[in-house]
């Protein structure tokens, strides 16, 4: 049976940590773990997901939740409440719903203070890891039988009804992910017609019906070339000489978006070497299965620009195709022949030096899962028996996640991100006497997770920004600073510093808070907005050279309303507590951020959300940021327009629901049937509360709160619905903890800010007392 282990470094001599593995979450399979009843409960969860997989594509992340609730012997002792039609919400009803949710969610806290969770959903995350382990002949040792069984379960669960696989678990079928999933199943032992419900045969039919794998996008062409299922001459050039570019050029790699830079760094190394894995009998079979014509008759030059229409989100311009053609026809022949091949050899050395630097500074976690598999393979290609590759192997468990729908690969984990929101939600509950120990553990986790040092050595020459004082998205070992995560972490520390230290622990040292402020100030851009990882600086026209077909805004770092609004909230609170620290800089910073948020508001009053779906998410952040800066409904047109957007998009049942399609189409699209999503309802409710809606007309707030209260489950949980995370406009990301954090937080803020009548209620008394009392409220 599977179980989750926390803050565990294991016994591998090739793994190391900067903070004793705080935040690390890894799965292990123990054949002796679990009673027959517990095993039956897991199987029932798996069967339930399978039967309902087309209605709710995201898992409820039940396996670790079952484990934690068992280990803590959690039993919900507070009676469930409902609000009937025509009934007023009383303060006691709303408070009871808050307490039930808070106690349930508190029981899910890990021993090191964070809240574990799945952070996945894209269907191109896991297959490259399988490809890498197959090529390096470590498949059986890293992914033994039970792991392979769960990976196959995940692929079966997320196959679309037409036989293909989407870009993400809620998306339409694409050539990219259908091909990756098919190859993955074959590598894991399924025959050409094998798999549950003929998964392989159906997948192969989809591929062939849509033109064969010649139409796979560029990243797919790269991985297929690595596997020996494509020829490198069928790929657009990725010359490693790019890393030589002088810093004065606009296309200097230091100006690229860090995730893009870190994908193409190992890709260019493998391309420069024309690396190809072993041509096994399976590879020869796949060559026959995936193409519509004999493999040795394919004209590779003609397939370079092909891309299936199902995959095409960002078409390449004619200018870009001409650029690729020039590199292909003129530059590459020179760089692969004497004497210019000496330059290629030097470029490969420089590229590998950059890869090793990034690996070391992330403790071999790397910046994300896409880069992880590529960097690991590059290290093996350089030296199959080297320590670099072995260090990579030791960090694979950091990415593995298991739920009732099987095993997948995390984006990079959302431990710090989720925990910072979780703590703010719990603080808002005003339940310190009931959950003080939970707040204290969470406080310690946040303090332990702050990045304490900048990247090593001359980090600027390695294209890195300062990181000291920041928080990452996942854990300290990852090392990559993010502005919004730093703002949310800083908010937590400031809020907790205002509470009794004997309950929530000692406050963070002032110098560490100052370091966090420095990070935020350093990430402001010329237009006033904040980037996520690194400051912007390259001309916007470089986005026209986007080499991917399925992402937008990937060449450069951009400014985002979410990061900008979070930073305002953090720095306004910081100013109140530390009024003498860099006051003028912070005031100017906030003024400029406010201007940015107002400037990027959409014509309908909403704001585009880049990391959540979509306009509801962006509007919640923006209203919160503007309100923190002193703007109100009465003195700020932007707030009035944002409120108008939220009110007019409220559904008949009192909630809000926005389709993920809003993200790629960049316009607000409600969920089919105008149904509501609880997470988005919570965002909208909090956005309205920020705007002072309670003083104007609380009716929309009551309707939203009623929906949240009535959807609360018997144990205090909330049901999993649509995926609400997103990145790069076109790919959805499942944040499994969102369904708990945001309804809880919204209800807590509702109780705090909305005047409610008092009344009679049957309720349970706090902590440990089982039973009901009739109390006069």
């Amino acid at each position: 049976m599977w179980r989750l282990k926390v803050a565990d470094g294991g016994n591998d001599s090739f793994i190391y940590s900067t903070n004793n593995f705080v935040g690390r979450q890894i799965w292990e399979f123990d054949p002796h773990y679990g009673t027959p009843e517990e095993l039956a409960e897991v199987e029932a969860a798996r069967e339930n997901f399978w039967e309902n997989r087309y209605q709710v594509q995201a898992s409820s992340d039940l396996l670790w939740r079952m484990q934690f609730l068992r280990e803590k012997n959690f039993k919900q002792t507070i009676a469930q409440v409902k609000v009937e039609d025509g009934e007023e919400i009383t303060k006691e009803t709303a408070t009871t719903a808050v307490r039930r949710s808070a106690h349930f969610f508190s029981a899910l806290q890990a021993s090191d203070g964070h809240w574990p969770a799945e952070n996945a959903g894209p269907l191109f995350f896991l297959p490259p890891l399988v490809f890498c382990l197959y090529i390096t002949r470590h498949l059986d040792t890293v992914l033994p039988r039970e792991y392979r069984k769960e990976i196959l379960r995940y692929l079966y669960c997320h196959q679309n009804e037409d036989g293909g696989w989407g870009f993400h678990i809620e998306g339409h079928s694409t050539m990219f992910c259908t091909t990756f999933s098919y190859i993955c199943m074959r590598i894991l032992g399924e025959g050409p017609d094998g798999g549950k419900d003929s998964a392989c045969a159906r997948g192969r039919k989809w591929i062939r019906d849509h033109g064969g794998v010649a139409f796979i996008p560029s990243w797919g062409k790269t991985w297929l070339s690595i596997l020996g299922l494509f020829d490198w001459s069928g790929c657009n050039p990725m010359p490693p000489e790019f890393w030589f570019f002088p810093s004065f050029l606009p296309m200097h790699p230091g100006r690229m978006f860090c995730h893009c830079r870190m994908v193409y760094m190992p890709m260019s190394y493998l391309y420069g070497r024309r690396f190809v894995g072993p041509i096994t009998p399976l590879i020869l079979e796949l060559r026959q299965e995936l193409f519509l014509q004999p493999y040795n008759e394919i004209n590779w030059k003609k397939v370079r620009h092909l891309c299936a229409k199902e995959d095409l989100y960002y078409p390449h311009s004619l200018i870009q195709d001409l650029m690729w053609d020039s590199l292909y026809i003129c530059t590459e022949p020179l760089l692969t022949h004497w004497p210019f091949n000496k330059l290629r050899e030097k470029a490969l050395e420089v590229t590998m030096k950059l890869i090793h630097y990034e690996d070391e500074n992330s403790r071999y976690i790397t910046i994300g899962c896409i880069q992880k598999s590529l960097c690991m393979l590059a290290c093996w290609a350089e030296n199959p028996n080297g320590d670099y590759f072995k260090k990579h192997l030791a960090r694979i468990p950091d990415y593995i996640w298991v739920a009732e729908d099987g095993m997948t690969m995390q984006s990079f984990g959302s431990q710090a991100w989720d925990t910072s929101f979780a703590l703010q939600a719990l603080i808002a509950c005003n339940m310190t006497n009931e959950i003080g120990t939970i707040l204290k553990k969470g406080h310690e986790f946040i303090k332990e997770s702050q990045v304490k040092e900048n990247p090593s050595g001359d980090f600027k020459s390695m294209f890195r920004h300062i990181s000291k004082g920041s928080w990452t998205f996942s854990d300290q070992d990852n090392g990559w600073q993010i502005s919004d995560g730093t703002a949310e972490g800083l908010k937590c520390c400031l809020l907790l510093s205002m509470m009794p230290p004997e309950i929530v622990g000692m406050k963070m040292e002032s110098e560490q808070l100052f370091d966090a402020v420095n990070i935020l100030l350093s990430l402001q851009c010329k237009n006033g907005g904040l980037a996520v990882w690194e400051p912007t600086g390259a001309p916007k026209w470089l986005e026209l050279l986007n080499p991917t077909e399925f992402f937008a805004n990937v060449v450069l770092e951009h400014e985002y309303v979410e990061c900008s609004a979070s930073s305002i909230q953090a720095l306004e609170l910081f100013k109140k507590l530390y009024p003498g620290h860099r006051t003028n800089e912070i005031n100017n910073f906030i003024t400029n951020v406010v201007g940015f948020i107002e400037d990027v508001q959409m014509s309908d009053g909403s704001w585009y959300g880049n990391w959540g779906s979509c306009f509801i998410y962006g509007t919640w952040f923006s209203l919160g940021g503007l309100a923190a800066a002193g703007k109100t409904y009465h003195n700020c047109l932007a707030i009035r327009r944002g409120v108008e957007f939220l009110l007019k998009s409220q559904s008949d049942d009192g909630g809000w629901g926005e389709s993920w399609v809003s993200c790629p189409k960049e316009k607000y699209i409600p969920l089919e049937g105008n149904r509501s999503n609880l997470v988005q309802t919570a965002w909208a409710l909090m956005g309205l509360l920020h705007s002072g809606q309670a003083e104007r007309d609380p009716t929309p707030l009551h309707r939203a709160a009623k929906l949240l209260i009535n959807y609360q489950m018997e144990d205090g949980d909330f049901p999993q619905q649509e995926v609400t995370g997103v990145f790069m406009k076109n790919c959805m990301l499942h944040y499994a903890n969102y369904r708990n954090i945001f309804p809880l937080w919204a209800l807590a803020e509702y109780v705090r800010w909305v005047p409610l009548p008092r009344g009679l209620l049957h309720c349970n008394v706090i902590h440990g007392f089982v039973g009901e009392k009739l109390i006069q409220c």
Side-chain angles (χ1 to χ4, degrees), residues 107-182:
L108 297 176
Q109 188 181 39
S111 57
D112 65 356
H114 87 279
W115 275 264
E118 177 180 343
N119 185 243
L123 292 169
F124 56 92
F125 280 3
L126 180 62
L129 176 64
V130 175
F131 302 164
C132 177
L133 295 174
Y134 178 74
I135 290 167
T136 61
R137 299 179 180 86
H138 284 76
L139 187 67
D140 291 340
T141 53
V142 176
L143 301 176
R145 178 178 175 275
E146 291 296 332
Y147 287 72
R148 296 196 297 271
K149 178 181 174 182
E150 293 305 318
I151 292 173
L152 289 170
R153 186 194 309 279
Y154 190 83
L155 294 173
Y156 302 152
C157 281
H158 296 291
Q159 186 173 24
N160 289 335
E161 291 180 88
D162 64 3
W165 282 263
F167 197 43
H168 52 85
I169 57 176
E170 292 187 356
H172 65 268
S173 297
T174 61
M175 182 65 71
F176 184 39
C177 290
T178 301
T179 300
F180 271 30
S181 297
Y182 180 82

Side-chain angles (χ1 to χ4, degrees), residues 349-536:
E349 290 178 13
V350 169
T351 306
M352 185 50 72
K353 179 182 177 182
L354 289 167
I355 292 170
H356 289 325
Y357 180 85
E358 292 294 344
D359 288 346
E360 287 288 334
N361 278 278
S362 66
R363 276 49 65 182
Y364 289 81
I365 298 171
T366 74
I367 193 173
C369 65
I370 301 167
Q371 297 86 347
K372 170 68 177 176
S373 299
L374 286 164
C375 289
M376 180 163 58
L377 184 59
C379 288
W380 186 85
E382 181 196 35
N383 182 1
N385 298 311
D387 287 353
Y388 295 126
F389 177 65
K390 293 173 184 176
K391 291 176 182 178
H392 263 296
L393 288 176
R395 280 294 190 173
I396 289 176
D398 294 65
Y399 280 100
I400 298 298
W401 195 260
V402 186
E404 67 270 22
D405 60 341
M407 177 179 288
T408 187
M409 193 172 185
Q410 300 269 63
S411 62
F412 27 51
S414 55
Q415 298 96 301
W417 178 252
D418 284 354
T419 300
S420 64
F421 280 141
L423 287 173
Q424 291 177 73
L426 291 170
I427 291 168
C429 295
N430 194 26
M431 294 169 52
T432 308
N433 59 327
E434 299 180 51
I435 57 171
T437 57
I438 303 299
L439 295 176
K440 185 175 184 178
K441 285 170 60 180
H443 191 190
E444 290 303 315
F445 171 80
I446 291 292
K447 290 188 291 185
E448 286 290 325
S449 297
Q450 188 185 31
V451 177
K452 304 302 191 296
E453 300 293 340
N454 288 321
S456 62
D458 182 11
F459 58 87
K460 291 184 178 180
S461 71
M462 308 304 278
F463 321 132
R464 288 294 298 270
H465 187 61
I466 61 171
S467 59
K468 183 181 180 182
S470 69
W471 277 268
T472 73
F473 195 67
S474 54
D475 57 20
Q476 188 187 97
D477 282 342
N478 172 265
W480 273 93
Q481 69 286 343
I482 58 171
S483 61
D484 46 357
T486 298
E488 300 300 337
L490 177 58
K491 273 198 285 180
C492 284
C493 290
L494 294 172
L495 289 169
L496 288 161
S497 75
M498 300 162 66
M499 301 172 72
E502 62 272 16
I503 296 177
V504 300
M506 298 302 296
K507 66 181 182 180
M508 178 175 271
E509 295 292 333
S510 298
E511 286 300 322
Q512 291 177 265
L513 299 173
F514 298 162
D515 289 339
V517 170
N518 187 55
I519 287 286
L520 296 179
L521 296 178
S522 76
L523 288 171
Q524 188 171 43
C525 306
K526 290 181 179 179
N527 63 2
L530 265 77
V532 180
W533 287 272
E534 298 168 333
T536 60

Side-chain angles (χ1 to χ4, degrees), residues 92-107:
E92 289 71 32
T93 299
T95 301
T96 298
V98 168
R99 291 182 58 240
R100 296 179 78 251
S101 179
H103 281 290
F104 175 81
F105 193 52
S106 295

Side-chain angles (χ1 to χ4, degrees), residues 161-438:
E161 291 180 88
D162 64 3
W165 282 263
F167 197 43
H168 52 85
I169 57 176
E170 292 187 356
H172 65 268
S173 297
T174 61
M175 182 65 71
F176 184 39
C177 290
T178 301
T179 300
F180 271 30
S181 297
Y182 180 82
I183 296 171
C184 191
M185 289 191 297
R186 296 284 280 115
I187 286 175
L188 294 176
E190 295 290 8
D193 299 317
K196 189 168 185 175
D197 285 1
S198 302
C200 287
R202 293 166 58 220
R204 184 173 66 255
K205 183 178 186 303
W206 192 97
I207 294 168
R208 297 179 69 87
D209 286 350
H210 291 78
V213 295
F215 285 86
I216 198 169
S218 56
W219 283 13
K221 288 178 168 65
T222 297
W223 269 109
L224 265 58
S225 298
I226 290 168
L227 279 165
L229 294 173
F230 218 80
D231 193 280
W232 279 110
S233 61
C235 298
N236 282 324
M238 293 174 282
E241 290 76 14
F242 174 68
W243 308 103
F244 281 157
F245 276 24
S247 59
F248 64 80
L249 291 178
M251 294 179 65
H252 182 258
R255 293 192 174 95
M256 289 177 68
F257 175 43
C258 57
H259 276 274
C260 184
R261 183 170 75 236
M262 284 304 303
V263 166
Y264 285 97
M265 191 182 290
M267 275 189 180
S268 69
Y269 178 82
L270 296 165
Y271 172 84
R273 287 191 52 171
R274 299 300 194 274
F275 174 85
V276 179
I279 307 302
T280 64
L282 175 60
I283 296 299
L284 296 176
E285 290 176 23
L286 288 169
R287 286 180 177 180
Q288 293 181 338
E289 294 166 17
L290 296 173
F291 291 93
L292 300 189
Q293 64 186 112
Y295 187 81
N296 58 1
E297 296 178 11
I298 297 171
N299 186 333
W300 297 106
K301 294 180 182 179
K302 290 187 176 181
V303 304
R304 283 188 303 117
H305 298 312
L306 294 182
C307 180
K309 67 180 188 301
E310 292 80 7
D311 297 64
L312 192 59
Y313 176 64
Y314 192 93
H316 290 173
S317 65
L318 177 61
I319 293 175
Q320 186 179 160
D321 285 343
L322 288 173
M323 182 192 74
W324 296 127
D325 290 344
S326 299
L327 288 170
Y328 186 88
I329 295 168
C330 303
T331 308
E332 274 302 304
L334 285 174
L335 292 170
T336 52
H337 292 85
W338 190 88
F340 298 103
N341 60 350
K342 299 297 182 181
L343 182 63
R344 173 59 51 91
E345 292 173 8
K346 180 63 176 176
L348 290 171
E349 290 178 13
V350 169
T351 306
M352 185 50 72
K353 179 182 177 182
L354 289 167
I355 292 170
H356 289 325
Y357 180 85
E358 292 294 344
D359 288 346
E360 287 288 334
N361 278 278
S362 66
R363 276 49 65 182
Y364 289 81
I365 298 171
T366 74
I367 193 173
C369 65
I370 301 167
Q371 297 86 347
K372 170 68 177 176
S373 299
L374 286 164
C375 289
M376 180 163 58
L377 184 59
C379 288
W380 186 85
E382 181 196 35
N383 182 1
N385 298 311
D387 287 353
Y388 295 126
F389 177 65
K390 293 173 184 176
K391 291 176 182 178
H392 263 296
L393 288 176
R395 280 294 190 173
I396 289 176
D398 294 65
Y399 280 100
I400 298 298
W401 195 260
V402 186
E404 67 270 22
D405 60 341
M407 177 179 288
T408 187
M409 193 172 185
Q410 300 269 63
S411 62
F412 27 51
S414 55
Q415 298 96 301
W417 178 252
D418 284 354
T419 300
S420 64
F421 280 141
L423 287 173
Q424 291 177 73
L426 291 170
I427 291 168
C429 295
N430 194 26
M431 294 169 52
T432 308
N433 59 327
E434 299 180 51
I435 57 171
T437 57
I438 303 299

